[in-house]
Amino acid sequence: MARALSTSITRRNIVAGLAITAVPLALATANNVHAQDKQTAPEKSLYERLGGVVAIAAVVDHFSDAVVKNPMVGQKSKNPQLREWHTKSLERLPGLKFMRTLWVCDVSGGPFKFTATRPGATPLGLEEAHRNLRISPAEFDEVAAELGRSLDHFKVPKREKAEVLEAFAAHKDEVTAGYFAKRG
């Protein structure tokens, strides 16, 4: 009987020893796998970091309304083309908001694709849609500033705000192309 007790204890000791050894090894392996997941997890797209289509649409809605009221580029603009658009074409504003939302979703890496109603030189080109408005570089900059204020209104973090404004600024030459076109 003493021998059986000794064998039983020995087996328990072995099982306990293995368990004590296996737990730290399992935890270390789990921690290593978790650390690898963190390292290999792809960074979220700008679209995801902005909050997706609903958040983007809210910013675009606020921005679009603010541009209409902006004294430099809206209803009281010294630019006759902008002034006319913002006073006589406002029935088109809901569609423009929709197109702007699609454009931001597309340039930010979202699942929605923008297709220009008047295609420019590139798939996201904006020159033809803006050519007749004859937007000056200063007017473009004021619209960009209005976009920045709308992003601030929604407390968009600095990094994402900078990325949105950078994507917007990348199209300045296209948007202002009509300003520099020869007037016939």
Side-chain angles (χ1 to χ4, degrees):
M1 180 93 161
R3 186 158 204 229
L5 182 63
S6 166
T7 304
S8 176
I9 292 173
T10 304
R11 285 184 190 149
R12 284 185 190 155
N13 287 344
I14 290 171
V15 169
L18 287 173
I20 290 170
T21 305
V23 168
L25 182 60
L27 288 174
T29 302
N31 285 340
N32 190 27
V33 167
H34 182 68
Q36 287 176 349
D37 283 347
K38 278 186 161 179
Q39 291 174 355
T40 58
E43 184 180 2
K44 289 182 176 182
S45 69
L46 175 59
Y47 172 83
E48 293 168 310
R49 289 182 283 127
L50 288 170
V53 66
V54 173
I56 291 169
V59 171
V60 168
D61 183 59
H62 183 273
F63 160 73
S64 298
D65 290 344
V67 169
V68 170
K69 293 178 176 106
N70 183 292
M72 183 175 178
V73 295
Q75 293 174 326
K76 297 185 181 183
S77 176
K78 291 179 181 175
N79 175 331
Q81 289 81 11
L82 286 176
R83 186 175 58 248
E84 181 176 341
W85 199 99
H86 288 112
T87 55
K88 296 182 180 175
S89 298
L90 286 181
E91 72 278 355
R92 296 182 64 210
L93 190 57
L96 179 59
K97 289 178 179 182
F98 176 74
M99 295 301 286
R100 286 175 173 165
T101 300
L102 286 178
W103 188 86
V104 174
C105 287
D106 198 347
V107 298
S108 65
F112 303 101
K113 299 301 170 203
F114 170 81
T115 303
T117 54
R118 286 189 258 162
T122 67
L124 295 174
L126 303 172
E127 62 271 21
E128 294 311 316
H130 295 86
R131 184 174 306 282
N132 293 336
L133 296 174
R134 296 190 174 142
I135 298 169
S136 73
E139 290 164 338
F140 179 92
D141 293 343
E142 180 59 23
V143 172
E146 200 64 71
L147 176 56
R149 290 188 284 274
S150 291
L151 293 165
D152 289 342
H153 175 80
F154 286 96
K155 296 177 179 36
V156 172
K158 284 183 181 182
R159 176 183 174 201
E160 286 73 18
K161 176 183 175 182
E163 289 181 45
V164 170
L165 292 174
E166 183 179 317
F168 187 80
H171 296 273
K172 184 175 184 173
D173 289 346
E174 297 164 17
V175 173
T176 60
Y179 181 77
F180 297 107
K182 291 184 179 182
R183 296 175 186 179

